[in-house]
């Protein structure tokens, strides 16, 4: 548990900061310039932008809850919340299910930084889970 409190917290803070920076930039661009992204048939640009806002708020809430529970030592619960939060980064790849976005390179790159952030979260959760599984069970 010591590793989770010390080096784990520092790593988690760095990963969360990177994730928040990347997803905030990408999701904000998705809302402000929604018409520049490939559209799903039957969903208006306004509805799509609203869905992006709702997804961002909902998924970021899971990240905040995960961080809070991590600080409180509720590690398994925190890791579950963080895995849900990682979907904020993976969801960015969904653009390619419709078509390749024709957007400036910087904004296009945020699709990949979101994915990298999600993968970093997965790696962190995997590392933390292995640490938790090494804690010896108490005997009566």
């Amino acid at each position: 548990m010591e590793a989770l409190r010390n080096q784990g917290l520092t790593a988690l803070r760095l990963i969360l900061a990177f994730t928040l920076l990347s997803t905030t930039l990408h999701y904000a661009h998705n809302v402000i310039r929604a018409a520049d992204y490939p559209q799903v048939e039957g969903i208006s640009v306004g509805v799509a932008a609203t869905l992006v806002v709702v997804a961002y708020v909902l998924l970021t809430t899971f990240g905040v809850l995960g961080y809070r529970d991590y600080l409180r030592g509720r590690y398994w619960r925190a890791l579950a919340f963080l895995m849900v939060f990682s979907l904020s980064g993976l969801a960015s790849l969904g653009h390619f299910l419709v078509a390749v976005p024709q957007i400036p390179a910087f904004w296009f790159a945020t699709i990949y930084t979101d994915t990298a952030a999600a993968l970093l979260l997965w790696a962190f959760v995997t590392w933390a889970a292995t640490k938790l599984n090494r804690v010896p069970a108490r005997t009566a």
Side-chain angles (χ1 to χ4, degrees):
M1 297 285 208
E2 191 69 26
L4 292 175
R5 271 186 243 118
N6 296 332
Q7 68 205 53
L9 186 55
T10 300
L12 179 59
R13 285 177 175 155
L14 290 171
I15 292 167
L16 289 177
F18 174 65
T19 303
L20 284 171
L21 175 64
S22 179
T23 59
T24 300
L25 287 171
H26 182 75
Y27 280 55
H29 190 255
N30 272 226
V31 171
I32 295 166
R33 303 292 299 193
D36 293 350
Y37 287 84
Q39 301 302 308
V40 176
E41 229 177 283
I43 298 178
S44 71
V45 172
V47 169
T50 301
L51 290 173
V52 170
V53 170
V54 169
Y56 175 81
V57 170
L58 181 65
L59 292 170
T60 302
T61 299
F62 276 97
V64 170
L65 293 172
Y67 179 68
R68 181 202 64 190
D69 281 343
Y70 194 92
L71 290 176
R72 293 178 178 175
R74 292 187 261 181
Y75 296 117
W76 284 114
R77 182 179 157 118
L79 298 180
F81 281 140
L82 292 171
M83 285 304 289
V84 173
F85 178 50
S86 76
L87 298 175
S88 64
L90 291 182
S92 295
L93 287 175
H95 292 300
F96 299 119
L97 295 175
V98 180
V100 176
Q102 300 300 312
I103 54 177
F106 175 83
W107 300 111
F108 196 89
T110 63
I111 296 170
Y112 294 105
T113 58
D114 281 0
T115 304
L119 294 175
L120 284 170
L121 268 174
W122 285 8
F124 176 82
V125 167
T126 301
W127 170 84
T130 59
K131 294 292 184 188
L132 287 170
N133 280 333
R134 290 190 185 143
V135 174
R138 294 183 186 187
T139 56

